[in-house]
Structure formats: structure tokens, C-alpha cells
């Protein structure tokens, strides 16, 4: 099965790709849409009642919650990036095109936690195809059952 997606140039295309991934992985999915400059999180500078960008387009942002373990939610931004939260660990500025592969990595067992004694700490490591890897620091106190089961 081909797991690649064409360039996800819109938030709606990204949501459709995430719905397909959720279907493949047998996960529940819930999507909330925020449309208009007055509704999107990065457009708080928009004036009162202003819903469009200066070019007349409506910015579209979506918040996606996926069921199952690990707990993952995704905020898709109109600018083409996403913030993915895995078990409370936030990954910022993930390109929208890489979100489906990121989810597959988390659910296929590729994602793991690396720990160090000195300086003490853990990192959640999410490898993607093409030798791309995302890493985020997580406090030792924040290890959930799923994160603990992924420590290497």
C-alpha cells in the first residue's frame, strides 16, 4: 500500500489525509475547524469582525484528535505547518506534508524514547522515511505508560 500523499497544500487536504490514516490504523478521529482570520489561533491580530486575509481568502485551521494509544492531537495551521502533541509532548513546526508519516511512525512502533543519565533527561524520537527525525525533550516526571514502554 502506498503511504505517501501528494503535497497537502490546504488544511482540508491535510484533514482528508489524516482521516485516511485514521481509517488505516483503525483509530477514531474528531476534527474541529476554525475558519476566518478572527477564528484562527495565529491571526489574533485581525481586527474585530475581520474574517479574511488581506488577499480576501479565508484562513482555515483544524484541530484533530485521534483515539487510541498513544494519545495524539494535531493542530493544522493555514501557513502549512502543524503542531503535533504525543502523550503531552509537543512537536512544533512540523510540515503539513509530514503529518501522516509522523502518525504512522508513532503507531507502528518506530517512535521511541531515549534517555540519558547525564545530563538527565529523555527525548521522544520520531523517525520518518527519508532519514528525517523529530526529537523533543520531555521531563522524567512526564513519562506516561506509553512513553515508558518506548524507552531505549
Amino acid at each position: 500500500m502506498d503511504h505517501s500523499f501528494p503535497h497537502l497544500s490546504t488544511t482540508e487536504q491535510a484533514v482528508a489525509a489524516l482521516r485516511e490514516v485514521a481509517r488505516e490504523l483503525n483509530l477514531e478521529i474528531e476534527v474541529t475547524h476554525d475558519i476566518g482570520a478572527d477564528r484562527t489561533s495565529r491571526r489574533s491580530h485581525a481586527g474585530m469582525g475581520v474574517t479574511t486575509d488581506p488577499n480576501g481568502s479565508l484562513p482555515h485551521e483544524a484541530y484533530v484528535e485521534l483515539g487510541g494509544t498513544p494519545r495524539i492531537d494535531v493542530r493544522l495551521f493555514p501557513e502549512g505547518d502543524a503542531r503535533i502533541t504525543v502523550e503531552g509532548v509537543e512537536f512544533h513546526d512540523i510540515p503539513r506534508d509530514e503529518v501522516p508519516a509522523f502518525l504512522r511512525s508513532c503507531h507502528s512502533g518506530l517512535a521511541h524514547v531515549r534517555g540519558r543519565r547525564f545530563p538527565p533527561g529523555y527525548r521522544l524520537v520520531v523517525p520518518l522515511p527519508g532519514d528525517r527525525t523529530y526529537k523533543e525533550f520531555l521531563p522524567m516526571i512526564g513519562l506516561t505508560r506509553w512513553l515508558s514502554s518506548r524507552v531505549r
Side-chain angles (χ1 to χ4, degrees):
M1 178 182 293
D2 180 21
H3 290 301
S4 63
F5 289 93
H7 178 68
L8 303 175
S9 59
T10 68
T11 299
E12 196 56 43
Q13 288 173 338
V15 168
L18 293 182
R19 287 186 191 280
E20 186 175 324
V21 170
R23 192 172 26 260
E24 287 172 18
L25 299 172
N26 199 28
L27 302 172
E28 290 184 23
I29 184 171
E30 187 173 319
V31 181
T32 305
H33 297 273
D34 291 318
I35 300 173
D38 60 337
R39 301 273 318 222
T40 56
S41 63
R42 291 185 179 165
R43 307 291 171 104
S44 58
H45 65 278
M48 216 37 172
V50 175
T51 59
T52 61
D53 281 343
N55 67 2
S57 67
L58 287 172
H60 180 190
E61 183 173 295
Y63 178 71
V64 179
E65 292 180 277
L66 296 161
T69 303
R71 287 185 332 262
I72 298 177
D73 62 67
V74 179
R75 168 92 45 201
L76 297 164
F77 297 107
E79 295 84 9
D81 65 320
R83 181 189 69 225
I84 303 174
T85 306
V86 180
E87 292 287 318
V89 180
E90 289 187 356
F91 291 82
H92 294 271
D93 304 320
I94 305 296
R96 185 168 34 209
D97 293 346
E98 295 187 350
V99 173
F102 192 103
L103 297 179
R104 284 191 187 94
S105 182
C106 290
H107 282 280
S108 69
L110 292 174
H112 59 277
V113 174
R114 284 210 179 122
R116 290 191 316 208
R117 289 182 190 238
F118 192 80
Y122 291 98
R123 290 198 179 278
L124 177 55
V125 180
V126 183
L128 302 184
D131 293 329
R132 293 179 319 275
T133 303
Y134 291 96
K135 300 174 188 175
E136 276 302 324
F137 175 78
L138 59 128
M140 294 188 325
I141 296 173
L143 288 179
T144 64
R145 181 175 295 167
W146 183 83
L147 290 168
S148 294
S149 71
R150 301 295 182 270
V151 174
R152 289 187 182 173

